[in-house]
Amino acid sequence: MEITLESPLDMHLHLRDGDMLKLVAPLSADFAGAVIMPNLVPPVTDPGAMVAYGERIATAMGDSPFTRYMTLFFTKQSEQQLTLAKETPGFFGYKLYPAGITTNSEGGVANLAEAESTLKMMEEMGIPLLIHGESHGFVMDREAEFLGVYKHLAQQFPKLKICMEHITTAAALDLMEEFENLCATVTLQHLIITLDDVAGGALQPHLFCKPIAKRPHDRDALLQAAVSGHPRLMFGSDSAPHPRCKKEACGCAAGVFTAPLALPKLAEIFARHHALDNLQGFVSGNACRIHGLTPAAKHVTLHDTPMNVPTSYRSYGQQVVPMYAGEQISWSIKH
Ligand code: NCD
Ligand code: ZN
């Protein structure tokens, strides 16, 4: 069995910077493009820094055609700043983080009411808003508690394109049904694991991420929505590499590294659910339609020949451990 995907996209990707960027960028090169997260240290807040970062990504990527959809770290903006961002080549949208909610988000939004004038202008200018939707409440309830904010924003700004990033709950899917201006990304790991896989037995630091994996019925609802071809659900890996020493540590950093195995594993999952016909929409078609994207032309053929996932990837003095390290996945990329 095999399937050829046209221009697969990763709608939520962390590529980092420096030596880590050099290590991980080529491991996303089977994708035709990706939405690049801005949570560097310091975060990417202005168009000049964004363009420079995009150029470093292009260099690290090598020859492979790869369309960069760059995001800016959301802070309150003037109309002039928004106009400049919108006119900057490669700009895709703003990523809003509640202050302190995840890795390198300390400079995020502490008071959403203060952001509303910016959101109003973004709505008028057609600039997408990507949100890390978690409250500061109990870890298992953070996404559910944030749904009221999504609902408020969807009602207040009916023309603003709001993407709920890396959703992890059935309730988030239900909310998406209520508002046409909401769409969502979902990661690979949240289609597969629950909190039990992270902390039910020996603690698995390489499966620890924000938002934390939830309950079986959440995972099952997300999987069902993905394989059934939900038109507003898009693949966003949230592949979030951290050095091995930061993961296998007291105070483990949040993030699961999935970029090199995401497409084979997705093919395995969709094939198992007799849903390979819906994979193109999930990894590209929905995003292209929703956002009007025309990524680099790239054909990627996947086949049901096993892939051995390396125990780690290392170079440039960096080492990262992927999901399924040392295990076999029953599909692979046909090169
Ligand atoms: C991400 C990271 O490491 O940058 N971590 C994660 O657990 N997903 C940040 C994020 O997207 O929350
Ligand atoms: Zn992320």
Side-chain angles (χ1 to χ4, degrees), residues 12 14 16 39 95 102-103 132 166 209-210 238 240 242 254-255:
H12 182 134
H14 298 270
R16 313 303 192 203
N39 61 332
K95 173 73 187 285
T102 188
T103 312
H132 183 119
H166 45 50
C209 66
K210 302 284 181 68
D238 194 15
H242 291 275

Side-chain angles (χ1 to χ4, degrees), residues 79 82-84 86 120-127:
E79 189 176 349
L82 291 177
T83 305
L84 178 62
K86 202 182 168 187
K120 181 82 205 140
M121 290 187 282
M122 285 172 60
E123 179 184 36
E124 286 160 5
M125 295 167 77
I127 298 175

Side-chain angles (χ1 to χ4, degrees), residues 230-246:
H230 192 296
R232 274 182 282 139
L233 190 61
M234 300 168 278
F235 178 60
S237 70
D238 194 15
S239 182
H242 291 275
R244 180 175 191 170
C245 59
K246 294 260 170 71

Side-chain angles (χ1 to χ4, degrees), residues 175-233:
L175 183 73
M176 182 160 66
E177 294 308 319
E178 284 182 46
F179 297 96
E180 294 215 341
N181 54 337
L182 292 179
C183 58
T185 61
V186 66
T187 72
L188 176 69
Q189 67 266 23
H190 293 116
L191 300 178
I192 300 172
I193 65 169
T194 68
L195 183 62
D196 251 10
D197 297 290
V198 185
L203 190 67
Q204 300 299 317
H206 298 292
L207 297 180
F208 171 63
C209 66
K210 302 284 181 68
I212 194 98
K214 303 292 190 308
R215 295 173 172 80
H217 88 94
D218 293 306
R219 186 262 323 268
D220 297 348
L222 294 165
L223 179 62
Q224 194 49 41
V227 298
S228 68
H230 192 296
R232 274 182 282 139
L233 190 61

Side-chain angles (χ1 to χ4, degrees), residues 185-329:
T185 61
V186 66
T187 72
L188 176 69
Q189 67 266 23
H190 293 116
L191 300 178
I192 300 172
I193 65 169
T194 68
L195 183 62
D196 251 10
D197 297 290
V198 185
L203 190 67
Q204 300 299 317
H206 298 292
L207 297 180
F208 171 63
C209 66
K210 302 284 181 68
I212 194 98
K214 303 292 190 308
R215 295 173 172 80
H217 88 94
D218 293 306
R219 186 262 323 268
D220 297 348
L222 294 165
L223 179 62
Q224 194 49 41
V227 298
S228 68
H230 192 296
R232 274 182 282 139
L233 190 61
M234 300 168 278
F235 178 60
S237 70
D238 194 15
S239 182
H242 291 275
R244 180 175 191 170
C245 59
K246 294 260 170 71
K247 291 293 291 177
E248 297 175 4
C250 189
C252 165
V256 180
F257 181 58
T258 54
L261 55 118
L263 289 172
K265 193 68 192 180
L266 285 173
E268 181 191 291
I269 293 171
F270 276 64
R272 193 188 324 128
H273 288 85
H274 310 288
L276 276 177
D277 287 350
N278 289 332
L279 186 55
Q280 177 69 39
F282 182 60
V283 298
S284 189
N286 293 346
C288 290
R289 193 189 63 254
I290 291 168
H291 294 292
L293 309 180
T294 48
K298 197 177 270 186
H299 299 278
V300 180
T301 300
L302 296 143
H303 58 169
D304 56 353
T305 298
M307 162 188 184
N308 294 312
V309 181
T311 50
S312 73
Y313 293 86
R314 53 204 304 181
S315 55
Y316 305 103
Q318 299 287 319
Q319 185 179 20
V320 289
V321 178
M323 190 179 182
Y324 295 111
E327 294 179 43
Q328 199 172 68
I329 290 173

